[in-house]
Amino acid sequence: MSLFKKILSNSRSDEDGIFFTEIQKILGFKPNSIDIYKKAFTHRSFNKLDAKGNPISYERLEFLGDAMLSAVIAGHLFNEVPHGDEGYLTKMRSKVVSREHLNELGRDLNLIRFVSSNVPTKHFGDNIHGNIFEALIGAIFLDKGYTYCEKFINKRVIIPYVDIAKLEGKVISYKSMVIEWCQKEKKSFHFDIYDDNGIDGQRFFGVKLMIDSKIIAKSRATSKKKAEEIAAKRAYYALQEKMIIKH
Amino acid sequence: MSLFKKILSNSRSDEDGIFFTEIQKILGFKPNSIDIYKKAFTHRSFNKLDAKGNPISYERLEFLGDAMLSAVIAGHLFNEVPHGDEGYLTKMRSKVVSREHLNELGRDLNLIRFVSSNVPTKHFGDNIHGNIFEALIGAIFLDKGYTYCEKFINKRVIIPYVDIAKLEGKVISYKSMVIEWCQKEKKSFHFDIYDDNGIDGQRFFGVKLMIDSKIIAKSRATSKKKAEEIAAKRAYYALQEKMIIKH
């Protein structure tokens, strides 16, 4: 092997190694076939073909992932909301899998950094974030099957984002509920916000919510507003458990 | 226990036993919880409530089954049609899971015989057949998980009904293709049709397709037309394998 080829091949496998490590962090498990995940981040402009001459891009995986996401969210809502009829469940699901929501999920994981494309990624519209998020779910299904899709969606969608009370519009903002309660109970409160960046260069914010100078809840997210809301939600449930706030 | 209560309880468990046997035949495996399947056939007019006071009907299971069916068909088409892009896959799936098609699937299995309802089932519209077929898939998911859903859908939807060439409109009728070929090759053909009823009282038709007085394919279905088409499709592939018909 020529030195040049060797360098190329080494740099290629280094790149693969970094991709493998980063994707494993996002997935929360070890992938079997890294090639399937690479496909989930290949834009059609990259003009790659498979052995049979079919174009490689994330679009087919996006179709598959969309179907798996819908199925997993359907299963979750079915179990979580035993009083909800078919129409209610359909409405709730469409809120969870809305384009806007999927874009947010993809953006929060900064998935766009993995995209192989011959067009600068900044030229893509907003939907690229949600599309590759769905393609990633499709790749998980192909690589590991339905149960791993469920685990991943539970970790990355359901736990952080699926809040029945909010989806039903019963709670608009946990932050304002906590503030209202503090004012009514004559307690002091303070959201302590600080930079808490990740190693991948993405900006993160940390929040400590103090009530009467005691830390009640902490959080970390990609925007100050989101981090405050997560901390407030945690505080709300913590205070509720202690029977201080009543439903 | 009074004799009357005992008779009631026995007749009830006999009924359960028949339901269990029949449903097992349709599923192709032994269910864990028969109650889940009963729910799949309970119409809202039956006014049944669960222990928590939530109404019991097949409608929630229909929502779940619809999602699982879409996911399984997506997975099948993804693997079967490697050249199909996202738009193509979406179009093909919507043909497979069309209301009309689902109604046909439910009707062929005569699922309506299991429905508990306070309204005579003949008063329901056509969609009841497809709805309870989807509810049955939802019940399978709850009872046994995704893999069993896949197995059932493979047996009851994909193998008998998902024909890519037909969905693409490349083949309109296997019967006419076989007849055309026989005429061109100067071979005699005959569709031998006979009654072949099931023990559940449903009418079935058997077909033997003879070419030059030799049985080439057999089939059984709920209509003469369907049975002829299935036999013709089998003959088509059998003849193709022998290199007699060329694509």
Side-chain angles (χ1 to χ4, degrees), chain A residues 10-11 98-99 102 123 126 129 133 159 181 198 202 211 233 246:
Chain A
N10 273 350
S11 80
S98 71
R99 189 47 38 201
L102 296 181
H123 289 181
D126 241 14
H129 302 287
F133 183 75
I159 294 175
W181 178 81
Q202 190 166 8
I211 295 182
K233 184 180 168 185
K246 279 190 188 124

Side-chain angles (χ1 to χ4, degrees), chain A residues 60 62 71 78 81 84 86 146, chain B residues 60 62 78 81 84 86 146:
Chain A
R60 280 166 50 83
E62 183 194 335
F78 184 95
V81 199
E86 200 195 351
Y146 188 80
Chain B
R60 280 166 49 83
E62 183 193 335
F78 185 95
V81 197
E86 200 195 350
Y146 187 81

Side-chain angles (χ1 to χ4, degrees), chain B residues 142-153:
Chain B
L142 277 194
D143 184 41
K144 305 279 271 187
Y146 187 81
T147 314
Y148 276 83
C149 269
E150 256 181 338
K151 278 186 200 168
F152 176 78
I153 292 166

Side-chain angles (χ1 to χ4, degrees), chain A residues 83 163-174 177-178 180-181 184-185 232-233 235-247:
Chain A
H83 61 270
D163 182 320
I164 306 288
K166 267 205 169 177
L167 288 174
E168 283 181 337
K170 284 184 190 156
V171 175
I172 305 295
S173 148
Y174 284 100
M177 282 173 75
V178 168
E180 229 172 76
W181 178 81
K184 203 179 125 211
E185 301 290 324
K233 184 180 168 185
Y236 178 80
Y237 284 105
L239 295 170
Q240 206 179 30
E241 248 173 46
K242 290 180 193 152
M243 304 292 290
I244 300 174
I245 293 184
K246 279 190 188 124
H247 234 335

Side-chain angles (χ1 to χ4, degrees), chain A residues 27 29 36-37 40 61 133-150 152-153:
Chain A
L27 297 174
F29 56 81
I36 297 175
Y37 296 91
L61 284 170
F133 183 75
E134 288 186 317
L136 178 60
I137 294 173
I140 296 170
F141 178 75
L142 276 194
D143 185 40
K144 305 279 272 189
Y146 188 80
T147 314
Y148 275 83
C149 269
E150 257 182 338
F152 176 77
I153 292 167

Side-chain angles (χ1 to χ4, degrees), chain B residues 98-142:
Chain B
S98 72
R99 189 46 39 199
E100 211 181 27
H101 200 184
L102 296 181
N103 288 344
E104 193 187 339
L105 289 162
R107 207 183 288 108
D108 278 359
L109 292 172
N110 193 11
L111 293 181
I112 204 158
R113 69 194 141 127
F114 301 125
V115 170
S116 302
S117 157
N118 283 336
V119 180
T121 50
K122 63 181 179 198
H123 290 181
F124 293 129
D126 242 14
N127 288 348
I128 183 84
H129 302 287
N131 294 347
I132 51 178
F133 182 75
E134 287 185 318
L136 178 60
I137 294 173
I140 296 170
F141 179 75
L142 277 194

Side-chain angles (χ1 to χ4, degrees), chain A residues 50 52 54-55 59-64 66-68 70-79 81-86 89-90 93 141-142 146 150, chain B residues 50 52 54-55 59-64 66-68 70-79 81-86 89-90 93 141-142 146 150:
Chain A
D50 68 13
K52 284 182 183 154
N54 296 315
E59 291 171 33
R60 280 166 50 83
L61 284 170
E62 183 194 335
F63 164 79
L64 190 62
D66 172 84
M68 295 306 151
S70 282
V72 171
I73 299 297
H76 173 75
L77 292 173
F78 184 95
N79 289 325
V81 199
H83 61 270
D85 66 12
E86 200 195 351
L89 295 170
T90 306
R93 180 175 55 182
F141 178 75
L142 276 194
Y146 188 80
E150 257 182 338
Chain B
D50 68 13
K52 284 183 184 153
N54 296 314
E59 291 171 32
R60 280 166 49 83
L61 284 170
E62 183 193 335
F63 164 79
L64 190 62
D66 172 84
M68 295 306 151
S70 281
V72 171
I73 299 297
H76 173 75
L77 292 173
F78 185 95
N79 289 324
V81 197
H83 62 271
D85 66 12
E86 200 195 350
L89 295 170
T90 306
R93 180 174 56 181
F141 179 75
L142 277 194
Y146 187 81
E150 256 181 338

